[in-house]
């Protein structure tokens, strides 16, 4: 789910991190454009890029958990997650191809994991080695395989009931 093609990284600091709920209305079109750039740059990101309705769709906790990184007011990365009974599930992680290698995705994942009690899960294409490396550095471990052959990963600790 993280882009894989090598590009020249732009070494600019992330100026701001925002919760999706605070910026989705004003940054919806730029988020869709970013998603399309990431999708074009990677053969293993997903079968198709998200559209505006995917970003705007209501899921439990999505507006609070999901984060958008911006540089000079433009989105350069995001993590989209929703609440699950056991913690949260990450639906999307993306970094603008021009900003890959600058730590944006690592920072977004670290912040999400620090703010989310319980187990955080995600699904990743097994051929997407850069994304798998990112997730391993963030503390994710492979927990299984989906019916489609994708890898299930998880990080965190179980909630005590």
């Amino acid at each position: 789910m993280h882009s894989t093609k090598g590009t020249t990284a732009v070494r600019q600091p992330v100026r701001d991190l925002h919760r999706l709920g605070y910026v989705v209305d004003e940054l919806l079109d730029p988020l869709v454009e970013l998603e399309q750039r990431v999708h074009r740059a990677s053969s293993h990101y997903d079968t198709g890029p998200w559209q505006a309705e995917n970003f705007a769709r209501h899921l439990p906790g999505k507006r609070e958990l999901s984060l958008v990184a911006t540089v000079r007011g433009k989105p350069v990365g995001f993590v989209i997650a929703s609440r699950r009974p056991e913690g949260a599930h990450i639906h999307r992680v993306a970094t603008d191809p021009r900003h890959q290698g600058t730590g944006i995705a690592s920072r977004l994942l670290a912040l999400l994991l620090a703010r989310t009690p319980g187990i955080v899960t995600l699904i990743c294409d097994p051929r997407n080695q850069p994304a798998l490396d990112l997730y391993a550095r963030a503390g994710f471990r492979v927990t299984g395989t989906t019916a489609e052959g994708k890898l299930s990963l998880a990080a965190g600790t179980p909630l005590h009931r």
Side-chain angles (χ1 to χ4, degrees):
M1 299 225 289
H2 188 79
S3 184
T4 59
K5 286 193 181 172
T7 60
T8 304
V10 176
R11 299 281 176 194
Q12 294 179 344
V14 174
R15 302 270 195 264
D16 294 298
L17 290 176
H18 312 272
R19 290 181 195 240
L20 180 68
Y22 296 139
V23 298
V24 70
D25 294 332
E26 68 185 80
L27 293 180
L28 186 57
D29 289 338
L31 284 168
V32 171
E33 292 167 11
L34 171 58
E35 170 78 358
Q36 291 170 348
R37 280 194 306 279
V38 171
H39 186 265
R40 282 191 304 270
S42 174
S43 59
H44 303 302
Y45 181 65
D46 205 347
T47 55
W50 270 16
Q51 304 302 314
E53 55 270 11
N54 299 104
F55 286 100
R57 180 176 295 130
H58 174 74
L59 293 172
K62 179 179 170 186
R63 289 178 162 250
E64 296 80 32
L65 289 174
S66 301
L67 301 167
V68 178
T70 61
V71 172
R72 287 188 235 110
K74 296 187 189 269
V76 294
F78 57 80
V79 58
I80 307 297
S82 62
R83 284 206 195 287
R84 298 277 171 94
E86 68 282 356
H89 180 74
I90 296 174
H91 301 276
R92 280 290 207 254
V93 177
T95 301
D96 188 308
R98 297 169 293 190
H99 292 266
Q100 289 177 354
T102 62
I104 292 170
S106 295
R107 185 172 175 194
L108 290 169
L109 286 170
L111 188 54
L112 174 70
L113 289 169
R115 292 158 75 176
T116 307
I119 301 294
V120 178
T121 61
L122 61 86
I123 305 295
C124 186
D125 189 309
R127 298 168 295 176
N128 194 342
Q129 195 59 52
L132 291 170
D133 292 344
L134 167 73
Y135 300 141
R137 286 190 307 273
F140 285 86
R141 299 292 172 254
V142 175
T143 59
T145 306
T146 69
E148 299 82 26
K150 304 258 177 149
L151 298 176
S152 299
L153 292 92
T157 56
L159 294 172
H160 298 285
R161 297 197 190 261

